[in-house]
Amino acid sequence: MDKLEEKKPEVEKENGKYIKIKKFHFVLSIFFVIFITAGITTVALTFGDEPAQPIQQIIQNRKEFNKLYSAYDTLKEKYFTEVDDEKLINGAINGMLEALDDPYSDYMNVEEAKSFHQQISSSFEGIGAEIQSHNSKIMIVSPIKGSPAEKAGLKPNDYILSVDGKSLQGMSATEAVMQIRGKKGTKVELMIQRGENAEPMKVEIVRDTIPIQTVYAEMRDDGIATVQITSFSEKTADELKDSLADMQTKGMKGLILDLRGNPGGILGQAIEISDLFVPNGKVVLQVEDRKGNKEIYKSENKKELGIPVVVLVDKGSASASEIVAAAVKESAGIPLVGEKTFGKGTVQTAEDFKDGSNIKYTSAKWLTPKGNWIHKKGIKPDYEVKLPNYSELTYLSPEQEYTISSSSSEVKVAEQMLKEIGYNPGKVDGFFDEQTALAIKKLQKDQKLTENGILSGDTTLALMNELREKIQKNDTQLLKAVEIIKSQMK
């Protein structure tokens, strides 16, 4: 999974307790292929070390597999061409997981699992967007900060319909990842749909190396530190502690913790980070298994910050970031600002087969300190604040050329962008006229580009960069957080 790509958290148990929701880390225990006990085939039995039992004896022991074995036997003997045993077995496993109708449970073949494992402790190459399967489509949970996906304007809840002309309809998130991933510098063309009934648009992205840094801190002139956590990896808590220590040396009087667009990660890191803000002994998280048994995690905070804190969240805040948001909201009284979060309240376990493939399945659900299950509901912030409407304008491909007499929805988007950054395009109607060309020329002059009145290439990039800078300067959610902190600093 290109960190793209779907960050489906995993949970492993240690001393009887669930300890991690993991982005890319899998339990390395050996899990016998289910067909060993089921007696699917002699080939399947080779996954185990025990001598194969007679098929009839296995069938008698596990009669629920009679139908599956019969189907396999029929295909082996009567299909019009030779069949591949491994493909049939993999397909059977994949089918069982698909039957769960759970976007967080799936099967990874050897190649997919290998790719997934490679990302545990290193950077990776791709577009940098977290995805999941939703209603048989591939949906973006959140683009990663500074990634090609973010720079291209991809948003949470965008659907990726196709990759380089190949439809992703019905694919699992893992399968989609394999289509989207690729080497740094290579191009990939995505067909993006923003909204169920919206007109699809082409987005061309150049893949790049996605950095593993997860914490970005900055001190404002007013003494308020802004610290953004982009995901929860193995070193995120240490990165945050170092950043907070640095901010304190610079006279930090208040803190804005930004979890917007954070799709989750390692549960242990989320707990450790929550401990920095939740008073010692108070509940941080509850994990509940299928029988209703609960593991309760409490803060082990040794030193409180002693300054006002506000946490920013949005619809791209998911999983482990929701754990932190819920913990600070319910157990520390820290206000949340922004939009309702994504709503992922389950945990997964992943187990390897001996051949290197694996299965990942939902094994429990997590609850907030007060016992709320936020799955598919999200967490409602204390202060609901939306970003300006122009922050939702769609991406324009630099590869496309728009000039006088062009007419399309993309031209209308360009006109809206021009208007928002102070260049008058005339009537915003999707028709590229003389006034639109004049506005483009003024932009080109200011950007020291060739003044030809044509929107393409560097001009398109300049237009989108100008809009992005305006969004950052008019971050209504951040401004609200600053207002709240300043009121507490008095």
Side-chain angles (χ1 to χ4, degrees):
M1 170 178 86
D2 176 5
K3 219 169 180 182
L4 162 354
E5 288 155 12
E6 170 198 9
K7 197 174 293 177
K8 293 191 263 193
E10 277 78 44
V11 171
E12 87 182 351
K13 280 190 174 183
E14 180 171 300
N15 298 327
K17 294 185 177 181
Y18 291 90
I19 61 171
K20 285 187 178 182
I21 292 181
K22 299 182 284 184
K23 302 181 205 171
F24 308 115
H25 192 57
F26 288 94
V27 179
L28 298 180
S29 60
I30 300 301
F31 181 79
F32 276 57
V33 178
I34 194 167
F35 300 105
I36 295 176
T37 55
I40 296 301
T41 68
T42 302
V43 174
L45 292 171
T46 64
F47 281 97
D49 296 325
E50 300 297 325
Q53 299 180 45
I55 294 298
Q56 292 303 319
Q57 181 179 341
I58 295 175
I59 292 175
Q60 284 182 341
N61 293 339
R62 300 296 300 273
K63 292 183 179 180
E64 66 269 30
F65 285 95
N66 288 357
K67 185 176 180 180
L68 185 59
Y69 178 78
S70 178
Y72 170 84
D73 197 38
T74 298
L75 294 175
K76 282 289 291 181
E77 294 179 8
K78 300 179 180 179
Y79 192 68
F80 83 107
T81 62
E82 291 291 326
V83 296
D84 185 296
D85 290 336
E86 184 177 358
K87 285 186 177 180
L88 289 181
I89 294 169
N90 290 346
I93 300 173
N94 190 57
M96 281 189 282
L97 286 157
E98 286 186 352
L100 297 173
D101 194 24
D102 177 6
Y104 305 107
S105 297
D106 60 13
Y107 168 73
M108 294 186 188
N109 61 32
V110 176
E111 181 183 0
E112 292 166 342
K114 182 179 179 181
S115 175
F116 210 73
H117 282 301
Q118 287 175 344
Q119 301 167 79
I120 295 173
S121 59
S122 64
S123 60
F124 60 94
E125 296 179 351
I127 69 168
E130 317 301 330
I131 65 170
Q132 76 165 42
S133 175
H134 182 260
N135 294 334
S136 297
K137 293 182 180 180
I138 298 301
M139 185 180 75
I140 293 176
V141 174
S142 180
I144 296 171
K145 180 180 175 64
S147 68
E150 183 193 51
K151 293 176 181 177
L154 300 188
K155 304 285 185 182
N157 298 330
D158 281 351
Y159 287 107
I160 304 177
L161 304 182
S162 67
V163 178
D164 290 331
K166 183 174 182 178
S167 174
L168 300 185
Q169 180 70 27
M171 283 191 184
S172 68
T174 301
E175 292 171 326
V177 165
M178 299 303 291
Q179 299 295 321
I180 302 171
R181 281 175 55 84
K183 293 183 179 180
K184 176 181 178 179
T186 59
K187 293 182 179 180
V188 60
E189 184 180 273
L190 307 179
M191 186 64 73
I192 300 295
Q193 184 179 37
R194 183 159 295 167
E196 291 286 350
N197 301 313
E199 181 181 347
M201 58 183 176
K202 288 184 180 180
V203 177
E204 188 173 81
I205 301 178
V206 178
R207 300 179 177 99
D208 201 351
T209 299
I210 309 303
I212 58 175
Q213 180 181 352
T214 60
V215 178
Y216 300 82
E218 181 180 358
M219 178 62 75
R220 293 165 48 94
D221 293 337
D222 54 15
I224 298 174
T226 59
V227 179
Q228 182 179 22
I229 302 178
T230 58
S231 63
F232 293 84
S233 68
E234 294 177 351
K235 297 182 180 180
T236 299
D238 289 337
E239 285 184 49
L240 178 59
K241 291 173 185 176
D242 289 342
S243 294
L244 291 178
D246 180 48
M247 294 296 101
Q248 286 175 326
T249 63
K250 295 178 179 178
M252 178 172 61
K253 300 176 183 178
L255 171 66
I256 297 173
L257 186 66
D258 191 347
L259 299 180
R260 293 177 296 179
N262 183 324
I266 301 175
L267 175 59
Q269 295 289 303
I271 292 175
E272 190 173 349
I273 287 170
S274 297
D275 281 356
L276 298 175
F277 307 100
V278 175
N280 184 52
K282 288 200 172 185
V283 177
V284 169
L285 171 75
Q286 302 182 52
V287 176
E288 181 179 321
D289 66 19
R290 66 191 294 177
K291 296 181 180 179
N293 300 316
K294 295 179 182 178
E295 292 286 347
I296 298 177
Y297 297 85
K298 296 183 178 181
S299 172
E300 298 178 358
N301 190 355
K302 299 298 188 296
K303 182 181 178 181
E304 295 185 27
L305 286 175
I307 58 174
V309 179
V310 171
V311 175
L312 296 177
V313 294
D314 66 7
K315 56 189 175 184
S317 304
S319 194
S321 59
E322 292 178 289
I323 289 173
V324 174
V328 301
K329 174 182 170 71
E330 295 186 0
S331 291
I334 293 174
L336 305 183
V337 173
E339 299 174 277
K340 188 172 69 173
T341 63
F342 182 79
K344 182 183 183 301
T346 58
V347 292
Q348 283 69 43
T349 296
E351 300 184 7
D352 285 349
F353 291 118
K354 283 188 174 181
D355 68 347
S357 60
N358 61 50
I359 59 172
K360 177 157 42 60
Y361 55 92
T362 298
S363 54
K365 59 184 180 181
W366 68 265
L367 310 175
T368 70
K370 293 183 178 180
N372 297 314
W373 193 35
I374 59 90
H375 195 61
K376 296 184 179 181
K377 300 175 184 176
I379 302 170
K380 185 177 179 180
D382 299 279
Y383 299 88
E384 291 192 71
V385 181
K386 291 187 176 182
L387 291 175
N389 291 334
Y390 54 79
S391 68
E392 295 295 323
L393 290 175
T394 56
Y395 170 84
L396 294 174
S397 173
E399 302 296 320
Q400 298 296 317
E401 182 175 292
Y402 306 100
T403 186
I404 291 178
S405 296
S406 295
S407 179
S408 67
S409 58
E410 288 79 11
V411 170
K412 186 173 183 178
V413 169
E415 291 172 329
Q416 290 174 302
M417 289 184 178
L418 286 165
K419 184 176 180 179
E420 290 297 341
I421 63 175
Y423 296 91
N424 181 15
K427 188 177 181 180
V428 178
D429 56 3
F431 181 72
F432 198 119
D433 56 17
E434 291 287 349
Q435 184 63 42
T436 309
L438 181 60
I440 293 293
K441 286 182 180 179
K442 289 182 179 178
L443 171 66
Q444 290 170 331
K445 181 178 180 180
D446 291 343
Q447 295 290 325
K448 296 180 172 56
L449 300 171
T450 302
E451 298 175 41
N452 56 16
I454 298 173
L455 181 61
S456 67
D458 290 341
T459 302
T460 302
L461 292 174
L463 175 60
M464 291 191 293
N465 285 335
E466 285 291 308
L467 183 69
R468 186 177 297 114
E469 288 180 11
K470 179 173 181 178
I471 294 171
Q472 291 173 346
K473 290 177 181 177
N474 294 277
D475 187 337
T476 50
Q477 295 165 345
L478 178 64
L479 293 174
K480 182 62 177 180
V482 170
E483 176 189 323
I484 295 170
I485 287 182
K486 285 186 175 180
S487 69
Q488 296 177 6
M489 289 167 55
K490 294 179 181 179

